[in-house]
Amino acid sequence: MAVTKRQLLALSVLLFSTSLSAAVLPDNRIDLMQHSYQGGGVSIDGPALMLRSKIGEQVSVSGFYYVDTVSGASIDVIATASAYSETRIESRVGLDYLTGNSILSLNYAQSDEDDYNARSVSFGVAHDTFGGMTTLSLNAAVGDDEIGRNGDESFSEELRRYSYSLGITQVLTTRWISALNAEVDMEQGFLNNPYRSVRFRDPLSELGYGYQFEIYPNTRNSFALGLVNKFYLPYRAALTASLRHYQDSWDIQAFDAELEYVHPLGERWVLDSHVRWYQQGQASFYADLFEFADQQNFMARDKELSDFNNLSIGVGASYRFASWSWWPAAKPELNLEWDHIRFNYNNFRNVTVPGTEAGAEPLYRLTANVYRAFFSVYF
């Protein structure tokens, strides 16, 4: 399931990454997480463990182990395939090296499941300048994926991925920090889902349409530009405003905006809330219903390539426990987070509704809930 796998990979990257915003090694920490995603006929849940520790004054090492179980089937697959269940295991190791006002980072990641294996290596550098008021960061990554199809031993495809990002973070005032980040991604190889099909009008079919496998271009290049502003309020709270624009060689253009508010309560509690709006246009070769088979050189019916928008709201709370007598240096912390997401697809229709004419089915709507629980120990 190509889209689902990329979404899961993005989640794990967010969990594992650290902000290269200053020439200071990340804190020693242990994180244990349990997460759950429920929405659109798909359930994803599993644990994750992350360890990070300094070695001397210049080196920090990290490790990450992530297991999730995916079950069900999304709406654009279930029409032509049955529900499924599979387990994905991802592991990562990383090294940060502090030299002068710079941090050099090297990471290796791999993800394995029955029909998809991914390997990637990334390198990053962050450099403080102008007395620590400005941080420049540069990251590069390369990945190799091997794609199979369950039940078809003869099916084997490859995907090569390259990613480059450049960022600048600037302290503007004592209460205002701004960051501008640009990212370029290039992919070459098998980019579609080996299980997903497109549909086309077929008057001889009982449904009024037939199916054939999707056909994608074998390259995709994308560019994203993001602006983040963080404001520290007089009463210890913080407000973050983020804007991001995305466009790619498949003619998809997208925009999202997010507001996040963090508010401490006393010395132990921190509450946060956020709201995010995302909107995108469709790929040039996407259609919910094609007029006939092999209508175009490239054909897709992946709802993630359609015209859609989503609104997500989330709340979270963290609690800092009292120090343990048997480990005075440890700072244990519990974090609970919940996100509710509503997707509105503007040209993707729900073919599971019976008794409707081909192309006149109701537009698909999806709601999802994401739960995360972290237990962290800083030391």
Side-chain angles (χ1 to χ4, degrees), residues 19-25 97-104 125-138 167-171 177:
S19 176
L20 297 177
S21 58
V24 177
L25 288 175
Y97 178 70
L98 174 63
T99 173
N101 292 328
S102 301
I103 293 181
L104 308 179
V125 56
H127 177 71
D128 277 359
T129 186
F130 299 116
M133 303 293 287
T134 304
T135 300
L136 301 174
S137 61
L138 175 66
I168 179 171
T169 301
Q170 179 67 46
V171 178
I177 297 177

Side-chain angles (χ1 to χ4, degrees), residues 148-165:
R149 183 162 58 200
N150 289 329
D152 185 356
E153 296 295 333
S154 64
F155 184 91
S156 179
E157 297 288 349
E158 295 182 351
L159 173 62
R160 186 82 165 176
R161 296 175 285 110
Y162 302 90
S163 179
Y164 307 94
S165 62

Side-chain angles (χ1 to χ4, degrees), residues 199-203 205-211 288-291 301 348-363:
R199 62 175 186 154
F200 57 89
R201 292 189 186 276
D202 182 0
S205 171
E206 181 179 353
L207 296 172
Y209 55 86
Y211 285 101
D288 177 70
L289 178 64
F290 290 92
E291 293 302 315
R301 192 180 176 266
F348 179 86
R349 298 187 177 274
N350 188 349
V351 299
T352 64
V353 177
T356 52
E357 181 183 352
E361 301 90 348
L363 292 172

Side-chain angles (χ1 to χ4, degrees), residues 25 120 140 203 209 231 249 265 310 312 315 321 339-340 358 366 374:
L25 288 175
S120 65
Y209 55 86
F231 305 94
S249 57
L265 290 178
N310 69 58
S312 63
V315 293
F321 293 93
D339 286 282
H340 179 73
L366 164 63
F374 296 84

